Amino acid sequence: MQKTFTHTIPIAEEAQINDLIKLASRKLRIEPSEIKAVNVIKRSLDARKKPIKVNLKFLAYINEVPEKPISPFPLQNVQAAKEVHIVGFGPAGMFAAIQLISLGLKPVIFERGKDVRARRRDLAKINKEQIVNPESNYCFGEGGAGTYSDGKLYTRSKKRGDVDAILQSLVEFGADPNIMVEAHPHIGTNKLPKIIVALREAIIQHGGEVHFEQKLTDITIKNNKVESIEINENKKVNVDHLILASGHSARDIFELLHKKGIEIEAKPFALGVRVEHPQKLIDQIQYHGEESGELLPPAAYRIVKQVDGKGVYSFCMCPGGIIAPCATSPAEVVTNGWSPSRRNNPFANSGIVVSIEKEDWKAYEKYGSLAALKFQSDVEKKAFQLVNKGTEGQLAPAQRLVDFVEGRDSKDLPKCSYQPGVVPARLDKILPVFVAKRLRQAFRLFGKSMKGYLSNDAIVVGVESRTSSPVSIPRDREQMHHIRISNLYPIGEGAGYAGGIVSAAIDGVKAARMIGEKS
């Protein structure tokens, strides 16, 4: 028999819990001799007031011994098995591949970008030389956008079993087992690459194929099925099933589908800025005057406000993090954030974004299903043009936070983690008028909810625009294939069906299972 119980204590007392069986006995009113093991299964902080507490949930084994966990994706040799082709090697494509192997099918993966080691050199060029490689950057390459953009594992998915399967698999490939327990699990950009390499090596060892620098350049449809795809404009590949996991920034893929008459739709997304504070300031706000240290991790925040009936909210909050240049073309500026596993940098950054709906891109209606994408792209180009000269550069426009809210120029800027560099500039010259207006109102409301947040020690950097895909690829709700093309499976963030590493991975697993049922 198994029973759960909870225990809430001041965080300073957590280390004093040294006899879990005694604790379980008291909580469950069971004799200690009946309890064979006790495991922590969930841990979260409660920092709403002092003393800061930790909420713990335990699983006790009564008169039984815990069984060794079974791998959620037992791998087998599929070298000679039926092939399933995958475009994209981010979380959705990776976990689709792992699931296919466990079902006895052979994944053949084409990734436009480079492997994680080679990709790192291109990221160095963006940061140090401000040179953007359109095929290898923070968005494109092995592991997708998640590899070098934090590794947060939050998800709103209600199907906890699927979430646990993804987390357990990541642990098997080298992630810290604590991700199975923490309420807000995080791997860290410094540790993700090794996990992804281990995952890729497992795919290859079991007969799958992973091909880097192999870009989808054409697709042939016959009788409402994908007959073949073209790679790098010179290689034709016949396919039986095609999983499309190309990510939210693969604009050329959206344009290709549009050109080929494959149904896609403009989709709401979010747009705004990235805000960076000293981490000590966020700690003091969230921890009631205390700072992070041995017991308390660098503080995070999550905040949502309604302004003029529209949501303005924090996105991808990175304690102890870095603001990263995430452009995928030379003449645009895009920001995102990431944190190392220890979250030990001196700054805390977060996207603060405004919901963008259909009525907001009316001026782009002539672009049809690409209207939201064109809207998004134009804002990124404006950010580039305002502070960069020529055809290259990744300087980002920035203001002090209060200056932005008050609509005045910043004469100088505080230190900032954005490595290519920031330039004082009015962000309301880049952002649509309604976005700038809502952000200003929201920051005032944030300042009331989090005393000290509205500070000129904080910097606002533009623009945060790749929160999600501005395009969705419609698919059958049950079968997961495209609404018309029966062997095309659009998945993950790029197709509009996920919002992070875990949800994208879950979507990939589900699509692979659908294919498995048909094979």
Side-chain angles (χ1 to χ4, degrees), residues 104-343:
L105 297 169
K106 177 179 180 176
V108 178
I109 303 159
F110 299 106
E111 165 57 49
R112 71 189 299 163
K114 299 177 182 179
D115 65 80
V116 288
R117 180 172 293 182
R119 187 181 176 190
R120 191 179 288 118
R121 291 191 285 271
D122 292 314
L123 300 188
K125 285 187 177 181
I126 297 174
N127 282 299
K128 296 177 182 178
E129 302 175 43
Q130 302 186 39
I131 297 173
V132 178
N133 181 340
E135 308 302 339
S136 178
N137 44 63
Y138 276 95
C139 292
F140 300 150
E142 184 174 19
T147 304
Y148 292 106
S149 56
D150 202 64
K152 283 188 286 292
L153 304 175
Y154 311 167
T155 179
R156 295 185 179 92
S157 173
K158 302 298 182 185
K159 295 188 176 180
R160 187 67 206 173
D162 287 335
V163 173
D164 286 344
I166 302 303
L167 298 182
Q168 185 180 336
S169 184
L170 289 170
V171 170
E172 289 177 4
F173 289 111
D176 189 322
N178 281 334
I179 66 172
M180 300 291 297
V181 173
E182 295 294 337
H184 297 291
H186 171 254
I187 292 177
T189 294
N190 55 319
K191 293 190 175 181
L192 261 172
K194 287 184 179 180
I195 296 166
I196 288 167
V197 168
L199 201 152
R200 178 234 302 168
E201 289 177 347
I203 290 171
I204 294 171
Q205 287 169 4
H206 289 86
E209 298 180 16
V210 184
H211 303 279
F212 295 110
E213 299 183 74
Q214 301 289 298
K215 180 180 177 180
L216 175 67
T217 50
D218 201 1
I219 184 168
T220 300
I221 307 296
K222 187 175 181 180
N223 297 326
N224 291 331
K225 294 187 74 173
V226 180
E227 183 180 65
S228 65
I229 57 176
E230 178 189 81
I231 302 296
N232 289 347
E233 299 183 340
N234 60 20
K235 180 167 65 177
K236 179 181 176 181
V237 180
N238 294 324
V239 302
D240 288 325
H241 297 282
L242 179 64
I243 294 177
L244 185 61
S246 47
H248 63 38
S249 291
R251 290 173 173 168
D252 54 332
I253 299 297
F254 298 136
E255 289 166 355
L256 172 63
L257 298 179
H258 182 68
K259 177 183 174 183
K260 304 295 288 190
I262 298 172
E263 292 85 350
I264 60 175
E265 300 170 350
K267 182 182 83 59
F269 64 107
L271 175 71
V273 293
R274 190 146 282 264
V275 179
E276 185 170 78
H277 291 76
Q279 180 63 54
K280 287 184 178 181
L281 176 59
I282 299 300
D283 288 346
Q284 290 166 355
I285 294 171
Q286 296 296 82
Y287 294 150
H288 316 287
E290 294 187 37
E291 293 181 10
S292 58
E294 272 188 40
L295 297 179
L296 293 172
Y301 64 86
R302 181 175 180 270
I303 194 162
V304 181
K305 297 293 180 182
Q306 290 294 312
V307 177
D308 297 334
K310 298 284 188 179
V312 183
Y313 55 94
S314 57
F315 172 82
C316 185
M317 196 276 148
C318 301
I322 301 288
I323 299 178
C326 292
T328 51
S329 294
E332 64 191 23
V333 169
V334 179
T335 63
N336 200 343
W338 62 269
S339 300
S341 58
R342 292 176 61 194
R343 292 177 162 169

Side-chain angles (χ1 to χ4, degrees), residues 271 308 310 354-357 360-361 375 431-439 441:
L271 175 71
D308 297 334
K310 298 284 188 179
V354 175
S355 299
I356 306 295
E357 308 291 341
D360 298 323
W361 64 70
F375 177 100
L431 299 167
V433 173
F434 74 93
V435 171
K437 178 185 174 183
R438 289 177 189 159
L439 286 173
Q441 290 177 287

Side-chain angles (χ1 to χ4, degrees), residues 53-82:
K53 297 179 180 179
V54 59
N55 298 317
L56 298 166
K57 185 175 183 180
F58 297 91
L59 177 63
Y61 294 84
I62 316 300
N63 293 318
E64 68 173 68
V65 177
E67 295 181 359
K68 185 178 180 181
I70 300 172
S71 175
F73 305 106
L75 303 182
Q76 55 186 300
N77 192 304
V78 294
Q79 189 167 2
K82 182 179 178 180

